[in-house]
Amino acid sequence: MSNDFAYDENWASIYEQFTSIRGRVAEADETAAFLERYCRGGSALELGIGDGRVAVPLSERGVRVEGIDNSDSMLKLLARRTGLITTWKADIGDFKSEKRYNLVYCAYNTLTVLVTREAQISCFRSIIDSLQDDGTVVIELPVPDVGNFIGGQRTTTTLVDGENTFLTSELHDPLSQNVVSTHLWFTGTSVRSLPYRCRYVYHQELDTMAECVGLKLAERWGDWARGVFTEASRRHISVYRRAGL
Ligand SMILES: C[S@@+](CC[C@H](N)C(=O)[O-])C[C@H]1O[C@@H](n2cnc3c(N)ncnc32)[C@H](O)[C@@H]1O
């Protein structure tokens, strides 16, 4: 199943503010510092590069960063920030690269935008074909949080302040591991409706997908500061290399 919820102009127009509210802009430098060491002075490919939140600080560290995204609106945001990063429009679920990279990475929750298991495995096949023999793959994912749906639905409040009310309404389909949601952002007299669909993945399922293409887990962290991954972790950063290295 393809994901019909694209990052259109509506998403792109609020992306920086949205990621800022979620604390993601503040941690971008730390993310870049984490990733830099796996590039070994070489190159990196970001899957779902977006507005360059991570790619821009990584390229400022001297890494040759390239990226793919399927949203013209998001790619335009990045192009406005820098001309140093080569990008192309493609589906991360099935892409081909002419080059091979020291690092292929997928940050935030981006792998989950592929809403079927098949598409996620297919992404791993594309990753392995674009990776140098001694290259590294880094994937950040949230730990699935599906315990408190009632009747398959929930609404959460992310932010309420004098200016903004930010609500998220979600429907859960446990059979496909899909969550369909709408973020509703009320400001003053206006409301933005931001649709989203994802397929959540448990960390051990991710390891199995990686093993399907010959990758093996090398490290797993609870955050970009290399905090320990525990049962309380809300996300993980998983580092893979070819099995046998
Ligand atoms: C959550 S954003 C992450 C952006 C950036 N990596 C970051 O960490 O801020 C997901 C990005 O993936 C892109 N995207 C969604 N589905 C995609 C697909 N099937 N192929 C390529 N890019 C996709 C979106 O346009 C968006 O830019």
Side-chain angles (χ1 to χ4, degrees):
M1 184 203 284
S2 70
N3 192 345
D4 37 356
F5 297 120
Y7 275 71
D8 58 8
E9 187 50 41
N10 205 21
W11 261 112
S13 65
I14 54 84
Y15 189 75
E16 189 175 359
Q17 205 183 347
F18 178 81
T19 46
S20 183
I21 286 172
R22 303 233 155 182
R24 293 293 178 146
V25 173
E27 69 173 22
D29 280 331
E30 188 171 66
T31 307
F34 179 101
L35 294 171
E36 182 189 6
R37 72 174 64 185
Y38 301 105
C39 301
R40 292 182 285 155
S43 58
L45 176 68
E46 177 163 2
L47 309 185
I49 192 167
D51 70 344
R53 182 183 66 87
V54 175
V56 169
L58 186 59
S59 77
E60 285 168 355
R61 289 170 173 267
V63 177
R64 290 190 308 282
V65 185
E66 301 191 3
I68 63 180
D69 205 288
N70 69 352
S71 161
D72 288 323
S73 304
M74 296 300 286
L75 288 172
K76 265 188 222 152
L77 286 184
L78 173 58
R80 257 183 249 144
R81 286 177 74 173
T82 179
L84 293 177
I85 296 175
T86 303
T87 60
W88 72 96
K89 190 174 173 183
D91 179 359
I92 62 169
D94 182 18
F95 66 93
K96 298 213 178 331
S97 165
E98 304 277 299
K99 295 185 202 158
R100 291 184 166 227
Y101 301 86
N102 296 90
L103 171 71
V104 180
Y105 69 97
C106 193
Y108 208 166
N109 48 13
T110 303
L111 188 77
T112 68
V113 300
L114 301 173
V115 294
T116 66
R117 172 182 162 278
E118 291 76 14
Q120 290 174 346
I121 292 176
S122 168
C123 176
F124 270 102
R125 287 197 197 98
S126 295
I127 289 174
I128 200 85
D129 288 343
S130 58
L131 190 68
Q132 288 196 356
D133 287 346
D134 59 352
T136 304
V137 178
V138 175
I139 297 182
E140 178 190 19
L141 279 180
V143 172
D145 167 28
V146 291
N148 55 359
F149 281 91
I150 296 173
Q153 57 175 293
R154 76 178 169 200
T155 296
T156 46
T157 309
T158 303
L159 172 78
V160 179
D161 63 21
E163 284 173 34
N164 307 281
T165 302
F166 199 110
L167 307 178
T168 303
S169 288
E170 298 168 289
L171 292 177
H172 178 215
D173 173 5
L175 295 185
S176 61
Q177 295 182 196
N178 269 220
V179 175
V180 183
S181 54
T182 301
H183 299 291
L184 293 170
W185 193 339
F186 301 85
T187 44
T189 55
S190 76
V191 57
R192 275 177 206 275
S193 170
L194 301 155
Y196 200 74
R197 179 193 285 273
C198 68
R199 178 183 186 271
Y200 59 84
V201 186
Y202 291 94
H203 61 282
Q204 291 197 335
E205 183 186 5
L206 189 73
D207 295 347
T208 304
M209 290 188 198
E211 283 167 19
C212 284
V213 300
L215 290 168
K216 193 166 173 29
L217 182 72
E219 303 163 27
R220 173 164 285 133
W221 304 100
D223 56 42
W224 294 108
R226 297 180 175 268
V228 179
F229 179 65
T230 71
E231 63 183 29
S233 297
R234 305 305 326 136
R235 60 175 159 174
H236 58 92
I237 290 117
S238 299
V239 179
Y240 298 95
R241 295 204 187 85
R242 285 180 202 270
L245 276 189

